[in-house]
Amino acid sequence: MAAIVGVCLMLALMVPAMAEPSEDAYRQAKEAVSLISYGEYEMALKRLGMEDQMQAATLKRYIDRNCSEIHRGSVQTDVSVAWFDGSTWQIAVPFEAPEDEAVGALVFTLSGSAFSGIDFMRWGDVEASYDVADEVYWNLPYTPSFTVYGDW
C-alpha cells in the first residue's frame, strides 16, 4: 500500500503545473468584452479564435438573454482575474469595477492556449469560484481606491 501511495505521489509531482494565462489571453478576453458591449459579436469571436466554435447569432442570443446589461454603457477593460479550476483556466472580466457581488462578468474558458467557451457570471459567483482555486492571478490587481473608469 505504501508503494502505491509513493507511486501516486511521484506521478502527481511529474504532472507539470499549468502556467498562468499569457498577457495576450487577458488582452483578448478584455477586447472581446469591449467588442460584445458594442454588439460586435463576430469580431469578438474572431478575436478569441472561436469563430469556428460558435456563431455570432448564438452569442448575441446568449448575451441578450443573460447579460444585456453589458450594453448599458462603457465597460471597464483594465481589471481581469484568472483561476485554474483543475482542468482549464477561467478568465473573468467584470463589466464595471468589481465592488459588488451583483456586478456582471463574462468568463472565458482557456483550454491550453485556445479559448473554448464563454459564460456569464455575477461577481459573487466569480469570487466563490476563484476562492477555492489553487491558482489565482489578477492581470491588474484591483484595489477599491483605484478608479477603473467613471462612466457608470
Side-chain angles (χ1 to χ4, degrees):
M1 185 61 119
I4 292 173
V5 171
V7 169
C8 289
L9 285 174
M10 273 185 27
L11 289 174
L13 292 174
M14 290 171 55
V15 175
M18 291 295 294
E20 173 185 2
S22 68
E23 283 300 314
D24 192 46
Y26 286 112
R27 186 174 35 78
Q28 287 173 296
K30 292 186 286 184
E31 288 175 2
V33 168
S34 181
L35 288 166
I36 291 167
S37 76
Y38 291 114
E40 297 289 344
Y41 303 104
E42 189 171 332
M43 287 179 64
L45 290 170
K46 283 182 182 176
R47 185 67 190 114
L48 296 167
M50 292 182 61
E51 64 271 22
D52 293 336
Q53 299 173 42
M54 180 184 293
Q55 293 182 354
T58 303
L59 179 58
K60 180 186 182 323
R61 275 192 305 276
Y62 179 81
I63 296 298
D64 289 348
R65 288 183 185 145
N66 296 287
C67 57
S68 61
E69 69 211 55
I70 195 171
H71 301 299
R72 287 194 294 208
S74 296
V75 293
Q76 74 82 33
T77 56
D78 293 322
V79 176
S80 62
V81 64
W83 68 95
F84 190 67
D85 69 6
S87 61
T88 58
W89 281 98
Q90 306 296 316
I91 300 177
V93 181
F95 302 154
E96 57 187 278
E99 297 175 343
D100 184 293
E101 61 185 34
V103 169
L106 285 182
V107 180
F108 302 89
T109 301
L110 191 60
S111 301
S113 62
F115 286 97
S116 61
I118 303 172
D119 198 7
F120 170 74
M121 295 174 80
R122 295 285 171 201
W123 195 252
D125 296 325
V126 169
E127 288 178 318
S129 295
Y130 73 67
D131 278 347
V132 298
D134 290 333
E135 296 183 69
V136 178
Y137 298 99
W138 289 82
N139 83 305
L140 174 69
Y142 175 71
T143 56
S145 61
F146 175 71
T147 302
V148 175
Y149 67 94
D151 287 27
W152 288 71

